[in-house]
Amino acid sequence: MKLSTAIAFLVAAVAEGHYTFPSVANSQDWYYVRTTANFQSNGPVTNVQSEDMRCYQRTPGTGAPGTLNVTAGQSIAYNAKASISHPGPMAFYIAKVPTGQTAATFDGKGKVWSKIYQDHPKLGGTMTWPSQGARSVNVQIPKCLQDGDYLLRAEHVGLHSASSAGGAQFYISCAQITVSGGTGTYSPKNLVAIPGYLTATDPGIMINIYYPVPTSYTPPGPAVETC
């Protein structure tokens, strides 16, 4: 096998084990979701202090072509390209777009993000993750949101190499949505800035999930907000 062919094979094998989150609902890739820097490589973010942690955008400052209309209380599918192949937690965050901006122009900076979904592993002889192998994960848009534009951020953390600091792999993207029909009573207690909401040694992202198998697990980031 020629060296160039071998290298190409290895690159393809690595990329195959990774994934992106390029679409929501039944839309085409990168129409409602901002194109991420890993749209071809599928590679993760590993530096939790990087600006890439926010939306992992290929071209910061450039929004997606469209914004999805969503009814508050509705569940929508956030889709993975191929499937979520690594073990680890899935979370969704949401940020209200300030007055005078749109979902396509808002950069998501500052303490504007709240967590609206978090899954948990089944513990026992191994850690079993509900999102592993999934091609999409449904997230309910809180029915108590104010009407308006939002960024909806998908975050999956691959923990297969997370036994040392910087080993956790973050797969991230942001969708643009317009919410209507909400009650307007949403009042999150734990708004966070991204980056800034994690450190590399947080127990939820620096962990050996294989041996000894953990008997408890605390997901990274803030608590889930409820209506």
Side-chain angles (χ1 to χ4, degrees):
M1 183 183 291
K2 292 182 179 180
L3 179 60
S4 59
T5 303
I7 291 173
F9 177 81
L10 289 173
V11 169
V14 169
E16 187 177 355
H18 299 326
Y19 36 97
T20 60
F21 291 99
S23 67
V24 289
N26 295 316
S27 65
Q28 68 189 61
D29 291 354
W30 314 120
Y31 185 73
Y32 297 122
V33 177
R34 296 177 177 183
T35 303
T36 53
N38 67 339
F39 80 108
Q40 290 180 321
S41 71
N42 295 347
V45 182
T46 56
N47 178 4
V48 298
Q49 299 304 322
S50 169
E51 293 292 313
D52 286 340
M53 286 292 291
R54 190 175 303 118
C55 291
Y56 203 4
Q57 285 183 244
R58 180 189 183 195
T59 309
T62 302
T67 300
L68 179 68
N69 291 317
V70 178
T71 302
Q74 174 185 348
S75 288
I76 62 173
Y78 213 121
N79 306 312
K81 192 72 171 182
S83 65
I84 302 171
S85 58
H86 294 314
M90 184 82 206
F92 291 98
Y93 291 74
I94 201 162
K96 180 76 167 63
V97 175
T99 301
Q101 298 190 53
T102 68
T105 62
F106 182 43
D107 61 13
K109 292 182 179 179
K111 288 189 175 183
V112 295
W113 296 94
S114 57
K115 185 188 286 183
I116 60 171
Y117 173 94
Q118 177 72 69
D119 67 12
H120 295 267
K122 181 179 179 181
L123 301 171
T126 60
M127 299 181 80
T128 304
W129 303 87
S131 58
Q132 189 172 4
R135 294 181 179 272
S136 67
V137 178
N138 289 329
V139 56
Q140 184 177 33
I141 305 303
K143 55 187 170 185
C144 54
L145 289 183
Q146 296 178 343
D147 291 355
D149 280 9
Y150 290 82
L151 295 182
L152 175 65
R153 175 180 176 272
E155 173 190 280
H156 186 263
V157 190
L159 297 179
H160 53 293
S161 301
S163 57
S164 59
Q169 298 182 356
F170 288 79
Y171 299 88
I172 299 161
S173 71
C174 289
Q176 299 170 181
I177 64 173
T178 297
V179 176
S180 62
T183 64
T185 59
Y186 188 64
S187 182
K189 301 178 180 64
N190 298 292
L191 287 173
V192 297
I194 303 175
Y197 70 126
L198 298 176
T199 70
T201 56
D202 286 351
I205 60 172
M206 192 175 80
I207 182 174
N208 186 333
I209 63 172
Y210 298 112
Y211 184 82
V213 178
T215 57
S216 64
Y217 180 76
T218 301
V224 172
E225 303 286 348
T226 57
C227 291

